[in-house]
Amino acid sequence: MLRCIQNATTKSRGLMQIRLKHTLPPLPYEANALEPVISAEIMQLHHSKHHATYVTNLNAALDKLKEAQSKNCVSSIIAIQQAIRFNGGGHLNHSIFWNNLTPKGGGVPSGELAEHINRDFGNFDNMKTQLTNASIGVQGSGWGWLGFNTQNKKLQIATCANQDPLQATMGLVPLFGIDVWEHAYYLQYKNVRPDYVKAIFNIANWADVAQRFQKAKSM
């Protein structure tokens, strides 16, 4: 049982705020649309079970946070942060992931995104190799990311453990993510993560990545 630490000076602050519930976004395509790269069974389980659970648990954690804040229970507020980070990160990461993929994907980026990839990595193949190796090399569960550094205006490769959100963890705006939790591929690829990671590029939605890149540049 956590012992509440109260701050009397902030006891009534912020109690009238209204919070909307987070909801599971629909897939932007049919569950079988990404076959043969990702099977319909994996997509259904990944979206309707795993992502849905993150949303449910995030809402529950935020409800607990609201209650703890109403009581000014600092110890409870601190304890709830991990659940918000994990489930909130899972919700954010997957909401990006679904749109990063498309049945008409693959190929190479074009336009300004391609120019920046060439500038920051030498060429697309170098970026692809670095992101592939980083994603394969994640220890345990996590994500491989192509992100944008708003400070130096450069594209960067990064990895995050578990469901840690890239922007909060590394300060990079997420552009293209590869989910390397086993639930994302094990039913189809078993323990051969490299095959899954390499196949992801065949359904990469570079148009979506380019849109995220343009927004990131304006930050």
Side-chain angles (χ1 to χ4, degrees), residues 186-214:
Y186 195 85
L187 287 177
Q188 188 172 353
Y189 293 88
K190 304 309 181 209
N191 63 334
V192 190
R193 181 190 285 180
D195 286 353
Y196 157 74
V197 172
K198 293 172 183 176
I200 280 289
F201 288 93
N202 294 326
I203 51 173
N205 187 351
W206 295 116
D208 178 71
V209 178
Q211 290 178 357
R212 295 179 190 280
F213 171 65
Q214 290 299 327

Side-chain angles (χ1 to χ4, degrees), residues 41-43 45-47 50-51 54 94 98 141 143 163 179-187 196:
E41 181 182 17
I42 288 178
M43 289 299 296
L45 290 171
H46 199 172
H47 177 259
H50 292 280
H51 190 174
Y54 296 132
H94 285 85
W98 309 131
S141 301
W143 291 74
Q163 293 296 350
D179 186 350
V180 290
W181 279 68
E182 285 192 343
H183 64 236
Y185 64 89
Y186 195 85
L187 287 177
Y196 157 74

Side-chain angles (χ1 to χ4, degrees), residues 83-160:
I84 294 174
R85 180 188 183 98
F86 180 79
N87 293 291
H91 179 36
L92 287 172
N93 293 339
H94 285 85
S95 296
I96 295 170
F97 183 64
W98 309 131
N99 289 287
N100 272 174
L101 306 177
T102 176
K104 297 181 180 180
V108 298
S110 59
E112 199 169 359
L113 174 60
E115 293 173 4
H116 277 70
I117 288 175
N118 291 337
R119 184 197 70 180
D120 296 335
F121 298 97
N123 55 55
F124 173 75
D125 286 339
N126 286 342
M127 184 280 291
K128 180 179 176 180
T129 297
Q130 290 183 39
L131 180 55
T132 297
N133 291 340
S135 301
I136 293 171
V138 170
Q139 297 295 310
S141 301
W143 291 74
W145 288 100
L146 172 66
F148 183 72
N149 188 321
T150 58
Q151 299 301 311
N152 62 18
K153 305 299 181 183
K154 290 186 176 182
L155 298 168
Q156 291 181 214
I157 302 298
T159 61
C160 291

Side-chain angles (χ1 to χ4, degrees), residues 22-27 46-53 55 91 98:
H22 293 278
T23 59
L24 178 68
L27 288 174
H46 199 172
H47 177 259
S48 65
K49 299 298 183 182
H50 292 280
H51 190 174
T53 298
V55 173
H91 179 36
W98 309 131

